[in-house]
């Protein structure tokens, strides 16, 4: 049994059982002063340093992690590729799941690859932001997303779009003959000993590929720690190490944050340290800082916006100016 498994029992743990080191108290006070932040979990060198709910549910209670779901779907894609369930990021959507492509779709849809979906560079007008409501009110979410006008050629530019990841999730489901939730349970939840309950489905029964998954902050941190360890957990490969490395290579750049984007991961620097992070609406965050052996999971109020210049910026400063200096104390 690993050190983190001994020290972090997901079932029944209370936030008061994992008292932070004295050096983290200033960072904890800084976190507590952010009124949107609900829970903070810090793992350093495989040890739990902090697990505290400042408001809202305890660290072992499930929270909607919003678009962190995209990163989790990208992890599942890597397993699907490694197991031969899907052919790889270079494969075209039309070859992997032809029945998903609606009649009359722009011919450029045929050029979209799974890699374009993973990096959100499919070129289609995004379904997020002001377009989200119209998309989820449609009768066929996959067809609607694939029928949006092209705003760039496939592979040319980043377009943040939940619909893009939903297409990817549906393609994995068609290729495997299994639901996205079944894959999440078998390939992530069971190997890691965490819970990923069913979440929203579209009118055709496909689980939403880029939003609305629920995990506890402790479970989210455990996934991050597995990623930091190169996809290994208790001596078993959960996610192929090569896929994690490929996922964290820059493939596009967000026009909103200015950060690079790989396959499901944003890539940046925090406090002079390389960081990969997953981000969800409201300030749901999972940070991996591999050179510092650091994993940070944060949940926030899912009903309030969290822009890079707002709450997400505060969370980045919490990491750079609060947590990293505390680990050096």
């Amino acid at each position: 049994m690993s050190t983190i498994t001994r020290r972090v029992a997901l079932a029944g743990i209370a936030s008061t059982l994992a008292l932070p080191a004295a050096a983290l108290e200033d960072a904890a006070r800084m976190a507590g002063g952010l009124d949107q932040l609900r829970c903070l979990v810090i793992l350093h060198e495989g040890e739990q340093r902090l697990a505290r709910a400042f408001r809202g549910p305890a660290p072992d209670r499930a929270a909607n992690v919003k678009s962190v779901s995209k990163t989790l779907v990208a992890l599942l894609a890597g397993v699907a590729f490694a197991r031969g369930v899907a052919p790889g990021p270079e494969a075209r959507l039309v070859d992997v799941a032809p029945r998903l492509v609606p009649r009359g779709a722009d011919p450029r849809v045929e050029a979209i690859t799974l890699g374009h979906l993973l990096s959100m560079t499919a070129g289609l007008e995004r379904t997020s932001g002001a377009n989200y409501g119209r998309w989820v009110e449609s009768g066929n979410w996959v067809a609607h997303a694939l029928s949006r006008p092209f705003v760039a050629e496939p592979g040319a530019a980043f377009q943040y779009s939940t619909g893009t990841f939903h297409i990817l999730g549906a393609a994995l489901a068609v290729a495997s003959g299994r639901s996205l939730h079944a894959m999440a349970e078998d390939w992530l939840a069971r190997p890691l000993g965490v819970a990923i309950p069913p979440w929203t489905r579209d009118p055709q029964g496909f689980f939403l590929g880029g939003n609305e998954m629920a995990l506890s902050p402790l479970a989210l941190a455990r996934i991050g720690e597995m990623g930091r360890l190169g996809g290994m957990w208790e001596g078993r490969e959960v996610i192929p190490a090569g896929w994690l490395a490929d996922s964290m290579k820059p493939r596009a750049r967000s026009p909103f944050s200015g950060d690079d984007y790989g396959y499901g991961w944003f890539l940046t620097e925090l406090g002079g340290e390389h960081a990969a992070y997953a981000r969800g609406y409201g300030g749901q965050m999972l940070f991996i800082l591999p050179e510092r052996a650091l994993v940070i999971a944060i949940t926030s109020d899912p009903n309030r916006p969290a822009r890079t210049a707002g709450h997400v910026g505060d969370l980045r400063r919490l990491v750079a100016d609060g947590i990293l200096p505390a680990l050096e104390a």
Side-chain angles (χ1 to χ4, degrees):
M1 182 177 288
S2 69
T3 299
I4 187 172
T5 302
R6 291 194 303 269
R7 300 180 69 93
V8 185
L10 289 181
I13 191 170
S15 60
T16 55
L17 293 181
L19 297 176
L24 278 174
E25 282 295 352
D26 286 344
R29 280 191 288 271
M30 184 176 177
L34 302 176
D35 70 339
Q36 283 183 240
L37 189 150
R38 289 187 170 178
C39 187
L40 172 64
V41 177
I42 301 172
L43 307 180
H44 182 231
E45 296 180 344
E47 299 279 349
Q48 182 178 295
R49 306 298 185 185
L50 177 71
R52 183 177 295 181
F54 297 90
R55 51 193 66 83
D60 65 329
R61 300 297 298 274
N64 188 338
V65 296
K66 294 294 186 178
S67 286
V68 172
S69 307
K70 295 178 174 64
T71 307
L72 303 183
V73 171
L75 294 176
L76 296 176
V79 179
F81 300 153
R83 297 190 178 197
V85 171
E90 71 288 342
R92 298 188 308 163
L93 171 68
V94 70
D95 295 325
V96 175
R99 70 180 178 88
L100 294 181
V101 179
R103 292 181 181 179
D106 189 303
R108 284 172 288 185
V109 168
E110 293 191 3
I112 295 174
T113 67
L114 301 188
H116 294 148
L117 300 174
L118 281 157
S119 58
M120 290 198 279
T121 59
L124 294 160
E125 179 186 68
R126 67 199 201 103
T127 63
S128 294
N131 298 328
Y132 189 84
R134 182 160 51 109
W135 173 56
V136 296
E137 290 170 2
S138 71
N140 187 319
W141 297 0
V142 173
H144 183 96
L146 286 170
S147 300
R148 306 319 309 141
F150 276 84
V151 296
E153 294 301 309
F158 181 87
Q159 296 287 332
Y160 186 89
S161 178
T162 297
T164 297
F165 260 87
H166 185 59
I167 297 166
L168 174 65
L172 294 177
V174 169
S176 67
R178 307 178 70 204
S179 74
L180 200 59
H181 178 246
M183 287 183 269
E185 281 198 310
D186 288 350
W187 298 348
L188 274 179
R190 289 196 184 101
L192 294 174
V194 302
I196 304 178
W199 64 98
T200 304
R201 295 189 190 216
D202 73 5
Q204 284 64 50
F206 292 116
F207 282 92
L208 178 51
N211 200 357
E212 303 296 340
M213 294 173 74
L215 295 89
S216 73
L218 287 172
L220 191 59
R222 182 170 287 196
I223 290 171
E225 180 68 3
M226 175 273 298
R228 183 188 75 81
L229 295 173
M232 300 296 292
W233 190 257
E234 297 185 340
R236 174 183 176 181
E237 181 185 83
V238 179
I239 306 294
W243 176 250
L244 282 166
D246 285 346
S247 296
M248 295 181 185
K249 291 178 181 177
R251 300 176 188 278
R253 176 164 292 182
S254 167
F256 304 107
S257 67
D259 289 338
D260 289 330
Y261 195 74
Y263 287 155
W265 293 97
F266 289 97
L267 309 167
T268 192
E269 285 196 0
L270 294 170
E273 303 287 346
H274 294 295
Y277 69 94
R279 174 176 174 174
Y281 184 86
Q284 325 311 319
M285 310 289 289
L286 176 62
F287 294 98
I288 301 177
L289 286 78
E291 293 161 5
R292 296 299 301 275
L294 180 64
V295 172
I296 302 165
I298 298 172
T299 58
S300 302
D301 186 340
N303 300 310
R304 295 171 62 183
R307 297 179 175 85
T308 300
H311 181 56
V312 167
D314 291 338
L315 297 179
R316 293 171 66 111
R317 283 186 288 275
L318 171 65
V319 175
D321 301 337
I323 295 171
L324 282 173
L327 297 178
E328 297 171 356

